[in-house]
Amino acid sequence: MSGGLLVAGTTSDAGKSVVTAGICRWLTRKGVSVAPFKAQNMSLNSFVTREGAEIGRAQAMQAQAARVEPTALMNPVLLKPGGDRSSQVVLMGKPVGEMSARGYHGGRQAALLDTVVGCLEELRSTYDAVICEGAGSPAEINLRRTDIVNMGIARAARFPVLVVGDIDRGGVFASFFGTTALLSAADQELVAGYLVNKFRGDVSLLEPGLDMLLGLTGRRTYGVLPFQHGLGIDEEDGLRVSLRGAVRESVVAPPVGDDVLRVAVCAVPLMSNFTDVDALAAEPGVVVRFVDRAEELVDADLVVVPGTRGTVRALRWLRERGLADALARRAAEGRPVLGICGGFQVLGEHIEDEVESKAGSVDGLGLLPVRVRFAREKTLARPVGEALGEPVEGYEIHHGVAEVTGGGPFLDGCRVGEVWGTHWHGSLESDAFRRRFLTEVARAAGRRFVPAPDTSFGTLREEQLDLLGDLIEEHADTDALWNLIEQGPPAGLPFIAPGAPPAAPTRTKEAL
């Protein structure tokens, strides 16, 4: 069996995903075979593995950091929100039904512990190290009884826990102390120490606080990572509108042509896989922004209607905000529109949905000759093809089955005039195809924009992953981290009062 580590956080978005990826890349550089693992993930940004399993995009990216092929073992439970109170449960890469938050935490989650422990056990039998990512905060004491992703999995595997805190938010010392003090004595035994993320300034000014934290908790800080512009990995929270700075900020070259190209992305409800536009933002001279008002489409050279977990809801939202009429005007004027997955379905003539929204028969925007019927079986695929004379790869995640009745072919979807639609996510990451597509957009928009001839999205992503590895290697105590991974939590860690009442017994796998 291999060693391992659980990267937890004081809050959501503290930097767990970034730190996990950085540790994976650092270990891989050292010749260690390593795998990422997140027992349970809530995200609308997902990916399809080569075996046809749906997992969180963050785990797919972490696998890339580890230079291994992503599999369902790395994210056995994925929750895809369909609203404020329910989610689709994806188990081992396949959807198994919708469930309310109360229903999931009321019993279903605890029943999955054997599954996630089995996946972790299999990874540990294959790799030298497994770096686990927690979810939210381990101090969510109202959910501890059924936890399978934070202290629940750490207890089962006897993994040491590294708690990450975002100092840029403020209150990091209180967050570290409070997170530890709210855990039960048995859980506290596994909390090895802390990692400060997003620090700005002189580290020497922080050191007295780190010394006091050590005195208060008996736990050391394993590193202080500086705030770094241009970092980015695939976000988990598709409910939040955010164009990650990663790819956008990494491009410093001016436009190749005389004009920039403006891309507006409709921020539809339950937006999924908005990472599709990252490859556009990677191009010098392409400006990408998210919009929710019709007037924001006026000066856009390209409008993207992205994927969504609520196609009918997104359609209603577009109409309520006047965006549907704005899209129709664009189509009539021959101005480019691209619909991806749910966005493609919205652009069609008709939707029959007794599965996702259960709304029945609904008229689409009528911009593409497509009729969509929602099937209970989800399509999960990794298609390869050609468009605009260039090779393209992508992935599909959808319940809607499209019947295309006209137009020109486009990535298993269609094109009418300057309106394009496809179910393929990730197609814009194919460099040659992306350049040809942007050339078409620029022509239709009347812009003197020229795509850079040498932009490689894959290379940019690798540079980002190397930057994450650099942060760990240069600003964390890597010898101490390796000792944690190999030896487990330090003995004799003190209890910090008050602690939480002991949780209900959980399965312990001493043999893991």
Side-chain angles (χ1 to χ4, degrees):
M1 285 295 179
S2 71
L5 177 72
L6 175 72
V7 178
T10 56
T11 62
S12 295
D13 204 31
K16 298 182 292 292
S17 296
V18 168
V19 169
T20 300
I23 292 174
C24 285
R25 178 51 61 101
W26 158 62
L27 289 173
T28 299
R29 288 171 171 174
K30 298 298 182 184
V32 178
S33 68
V34 58
F37 178 77
K38 186 160 186 171
Q40 171 196 298
N41 194 351
M42 177 173 280
S43 179
L44 285 171
N45 283 334
S46 58
F47 181 76
V48 179
T49 67
R50 294 203 180 278
E51 73 267 31
E54 185 180 8
I55 65 173
R57 276 196 65 100
Q59 280 60 66
M61 186 280 313
Q62 289 162 355
Q64 185 178 348
R67 297 196 175 107
V68 297
E69 189 67 32
T71 73
L73 293 172
M74 297 172 184
N75 180 206
V77 181
L78 174 64
L79 306 178
K80 302 194 72 176
D84 294 335
R85 297 189 178 185
S86 67
S87 294
Q88 182 180 68
V89 180
V90 179
L91 180 62
M92 295 304 295
K94 305 296 181 183
V96 294
E98 297 279 335
M99 189 167 289
S100 68
R102 179 176 292 276
Y104 183 69
H105 290 287
R108 174 68 170 172
Q109 186 180 33
L112 294 173
L113 183 61
D114 283 351
T115 297
V116 300
V117 167
C119 291
L120 179 56
E121 192 172 20
E122 188 169 343
L123 289 174
R124 295 188 69 186
S125 69
T126 306
Y127 295 92
D128 298 332
V130 179
I131 307 303
C132 305
E133 180 187 343
S137 164
E140 290 164 350
I141 54 179
N142 56 312
L143 303 177
R144 176 62 185 92
R145 182 179 61 84
T146 56
D147 170 50
I148 63 171
V149 63
N150 288 307
M151 302 312 300
I153 197 70
R155 286 270 290 275
R158 300 304 300 173
F159 273 1
V161 177
L162 181 70
V163 181
V164 178
D166 179 357
I167 197 170
D168 200 48
R169 295 182 175 189
V172 74
F173 292 116
S175 297
F176 282 145
F177 183 89
T179 296
T180 308
L182 281 175
L183 300 178
S184 68
D187 285 348
Q188 287 191 28
E189 289 176 0
L190 301 178
V191 177
Y194 314 108
L195 187 77
V196 176
N197 191 30
K198 297 185 182 178
F199 179 71
R200 305 172 190 252
D202 186 345
V203 175
S204 66
L205 298 177
L206 189 66
E207 289 172 350
L210 302 179
D211 292 339
M212 286 186 274
L213 184 66
L214 174 61
L216 287 166
T217 67
R219 290 160 174 85
R220 59 165 297 182
T221 299
Y222 284 80
V224 178
L225 307 186
F227 189 95
Q228 178 70 57
H229 288 285
L231 280 185
I233 62 170
D234 296 327
E235 289 194 17
E236 295 177 349
D237 190 358
L239 296 175
R240 183 180 60 234
V241 175
S242 170
L243 177 61
R244 302 186 327 285
V247 175
R248 179 183 57 187
E249 293 183 6
S250 67
V251 175
V252 295
V256 175
D258 294 329
D259 291 341
V260 298
L261 208 63
R262 296 171 177 84
V263 179
V265 184
C266 296
V268 296
L270 298 174
M271 184 167 53
S272 62
N273 286 69
F274 58 85
T275 49
D276 283 331
V277 301
D278 284 357
L280 295 178
E283 287 286 348
V286 176
V287 179
V288 180
R289 67 184 189 274
F290 286 89
V291 304
D292 59 4
R293 297 181 300 178
E295 56 267 30
E296 293 177 291
L297 304 190
V298 173
D299 67 345
D301 302 307
L302 169 67
V303 173
V304 177
V305 187
T308 172
R309 253 277 284 161
T311 298
V312 171
R313 179 175 169 182
L315 183 58
R316 183 170 60 248
W317 181 87
L318 289 167
R319 286 179 168 138
E320 290 171 349
R321 290 178 170 263
L323 289 160
D325 289 339
L327 289 168
R329 286 193 297 271
R330 289 187 66 89
E333 295 166 0
R335 303 176 67 200
V337 175
L338 171 64
I340 303 174
C341 200
F344 167 42
Q345 297 165 9
V346 160
L347 298 180
E349 297 171 341
H350 189 77
I351 297 170
E352 199 70 36
D353 181 12
E354 299 292 349
V355 176
E356 188 176 78
S357 68
K358 298 181 173 60
S361 182
V362 179
D363 287 335
L365 297 186
L367 305 185
L368 290 175
V370 175
R371 300 180 69 85
V372 176
R373 176 185 55 82
F374 274 71
R376 296 197 178 278
E377 187 73 19
K378 180 184 282 191
T379 297
L380 297 170
R382 289 278 294 271
V384 177
E386 182 179 292
L388 302 179
E390 301 292 350
V392 190
E393 296 183 14
Y395 57 99
E396 295 184 62
I397 306 169
H398 54 93
H399 283 279
V401 178
E403 178 190 359
V404 178
T405 60
F410 179 67
L411 297 178
D412 291 343
C414 66
R415 171 189 183 181
V416 173
E418 298 304 327
V419 180
W420 317 63
T422 178
H423 272 133
W424 291 25
H425 293 291
S427 62
L428 294 167
E429 296 179 17
S430 296
D431 296 325
F433 164 71
R434 181 181 66 253
R435 287 192 279 270
R436 287 292 299 273
F437 176 70
L438 289 176
T439 299
E440 289 271 322
V441 168
R443 176 195 55 75
R447 295 287 186 186
R448 292 176 297 175
F449 169 85
V450 179
D454 56 355
T455 301
S456 168
F457 185 78
T459 298
L460 289 173
R461 178 53 55 87
E462 277 296 305
E463 289 173 355
Q464 291 175 339
L465 295 175
D466 278 333
L467 185 55
L468 296 180
D470 291 343
L471 284 175
I472 297 298
E473 193 163 344
E474 296 170 10
H475 300 282
D477 186 338
T478 52
D479 289 340
L481 281 179
W482 176 246
N483 189 61
L484 279 183
I485 293 167
E486 195 173 39
Q487 303 297 330
L493 293 169
F495 171 73
I496 308 301
T506 57
R507 176 182 173 190
T508 300
K509 293 278 292 185
E510 296 293 343
L512 273 178

